[in-house]
Amino acid sequence: MASIKDVARQAGVAISTVSKVLNGYEGVSESTKDKVNAAIEALNYTPNAVAAALSSKQFGRVALLLKLEETVGCVDEINLQYLSGAIHRAKELKLDVVTLFFSMVADMGLDELTSYLKAQSVEGIIAYGMNEEDEFLRELIASGAFKIVLVDAPYHDRNTSSVWIDQKNAQYEIAKKTILGNESCTKVLYIAGDKKSFVTGERIAGMKKLAEELALELTIEYGDFSEKKARELTFSYADRMDVFVCASDLMAIGAMRALMELDVFHPVCGFDGIPLMSYAGKQMNTVRQDFYGVSAAAVEEVDRLLHLEEGRNVVLGYELVRMRYQDIVE
Amino acid sequence: MASIKDVARQAGVAISTVSKVLNGYEGVSESTKDKVNAAIEALNYTPNAVAAALSSKQFGRVALLLKLEETVGCVDEINLQYLSGAIHRAKELKLDVVTLFFSMVADMGLDELTSYLKAQSVEGIIAYGMNEEDEFLRELIASGAFKIVLVDAPYHDRNTSSVWIDQKNAQYEIAKKTILGNESCTKVLYIAGDKKSFVTGERIAGMKKLAEELALELTIEYGDFSEKKARELTFSYADRMDVFVCASDLMAIGAMRALMELDVFHPVCGFDGIPLMSYAGKQMNTVRQDFYGVSAAAVEEVDRLLHLEEGRNVVLGYELVRMRYQDIVE
DNA sequence: CTGTTAGCGCTTTCAG
DNA sequence: CTGAAAGCGCTAACAG
């Protein structure tokens, strides 16, 4: 591998000059810049990122902290989209990413985790799906040792930003669309997610707003993002409700299945917009979240935090869709 | 962050001595070793991996090269298990992993890709699900620039190993179990995967062996791992066959659905053993592949290759299972 | 057994 | 505008 020294020699300039053009610093004449670039080209030179990191003490490394739920395989698609979005954007921003799973760090203490990450030279962390119970993440934030971006959790400070879509409004809109799209829907069962997830509260707020606006009779139950629970809830509420609004597609499938078994029709709507729904064999309204885009935005945000000390909330858009479920996967 | 220098000072020894105990080299007396360890403890010191890598020119970094099929979300679970297995094992072996997707590198030339990876100080690559069409991977192997482990592709040389389960025998056994477990199954439709995947040929070989042994009438069709195609094939062969052996769970679901629609019963078996099957609402035999374990083994193998120049084929075990599909996800 | 020393490849002052 | 030189934190000969 050619090194910066080779490039310098080839171009007939000093190493520091090469470094300057490499990093796009000003104060290099066009002519030398050209010479350097020619040399880089000729030698097929790629800077050694490790050496650069050591020298500059800027590692630009961010850890992606993912939660792998063993029980529900259907969220894997979401996680993979998160990963894909983050990794692609990180490549563009020339950030280095490492993927970690909660299970790897859950049993570490704060000190151990901190030095583990520091040793890996990570400076930033993107945490997906943190919830109220994740005490250690809270400590990590409080320690201020890292720049952190929380996806789907509402907190920000100097070193911490949050990135998510407007859950409240999305839930409001998809429910509204579903309810107004069908006649005489006043009694609404809202099957919420799990109590500890931050998104749950936001979405409930959206439903309450809608209930007030349309004078609905709103009943709220927690389905814990479980198809089974949603199914059971639907069974027990089927004869008392007009419409079933669910906080996830998976729960919406559970609700639909219950209604099909009972052989009654009620509108159902979901949330997430993942192709998992292909297996349900029906159509329904849902909110398509751009997990890839959210994750890419999180990387941008962590990049920003790496340079500025100024966390913030980033709220992204979403899309209301009517999913056309193929019954069969092609 | 404390550096090796601080540790040396604290322990009253030279930095090279600290380095030696850090790396477990011999030739350090117990007493100084203790002093050094005490200093490390006291200062809560963690070695800087970047500096170590630069200095030793051993980066121990391996890239995981994954293929994300946009069309079929159901393989996401497999990919995530691959990732999880690799990342966990890599942590234990103190290897550094980066996750890459084929889509990120597909449009690069060999030189570009090589220098991209070299710049990232990648020394080893684990490629998942490479198939015959992946020309550039073939070139990468030929270039000899990296230590490569292929998962589910049968090739090895000095710098390349392969890791997979015994596809032929697994297919043989699961089909045998299914066929012998039901009466008078002689006409067998084998719905294979896609022609370009290496596993396809292996599995077909297993079926041929079985057909010979049990004097079966074996018909082979390619379902391309598509639920839809498997379903169509099943429709058209339903009245001519006794049993439907499929090269993936997803195709097995397609076959089962077709049979259910036709309201006839024939035994069906699948391959993979992923919970996706939960959605089918039936039971069937399948081969449970331990994707996590395969991936962990691949990391071990790349670690071995990093030290030895001696690729090989690693064949792992599998399990025949009868999946109990919950119809509902809890 | 222990310490001294020369780098790894790059960034970054600071003179010229 | 350009170049010389001092490290970043660590490893690895090589002396002692």
Side-chain angles (χ1 to χ4, degrees), chain A residues 4 16 19 25 45 48 55:
Chain A
I4 196 172
S16 53
S19 176
Y25 290 160
Y45 164 75
N48 181 321
S55 184

Side-chain angles (χ1 to χ4, degrees), chain A residues 46-47 76 104 171 239 242 275 277:
Chain A
T46 332
D76 291 344
M104 301 167 69
Q171 186 64 79
D239 53 356
D242 300 321
M277 301 219 56

Side-chain angles (χ1 to χ4, degrees), chain A residues 1-17:
Chain A
M1 289 294 285
S3 80
I4 196 172
K5 212 189 272 181
D6 302 314
V7 176
R9 189 174 333 111
Q10 170 101 4
V13 299
I15 291 179
S16 53
T17 307

Side-chain angles (χ1 to χ4, degrees), chain B residues 4 16 19 23 25 45 48 51 55:
Chain B
I4 196 172
S16 57
S19 176
N23 296 292
Y25 291 160
Y45 165 75
N48 182 323
S55 182

Side-chain angles (χ1 to χ4, degrees), chain A residues 4 24 44 47 49 51 72 129 150 158 163 166 178 230 247 254-255 261 265 313 316 324 326:
Chain A
I4 196 172
N44 190 232
V72 190
L150 302 171
R158 257 173 32 137
V163 173
D166 185 345
T178 304
E261 282 186 50
F265 173 78
N313 287 321
L316 302 172
R324 304 182 54 185
Q326 324 118 269

Side-chain angles (χ1 to χ4, degrees), chain A residues 187-191 218-222 229-244 258-259 262 264 266:
Chain A
K187 284 171 290 182
V188 180
L189 179 66
Y190 181 61
I191 305 183
L218 176 65
T219 307
I220 297 173
E221 293 278 2
Y222 291 88
K229 286 200 181 154
R231 181 169 173 273
E232 288 164 357
L233 286 167
T234 305
F235 270 125
S236 60
Y237 278 99
D239 53 356
R240 294 180 268 162
M241 295 290 158
D242 300 321
V243 56
F244 295 79
L259 295 174
L262 293 169
V264 298
H266 289 296

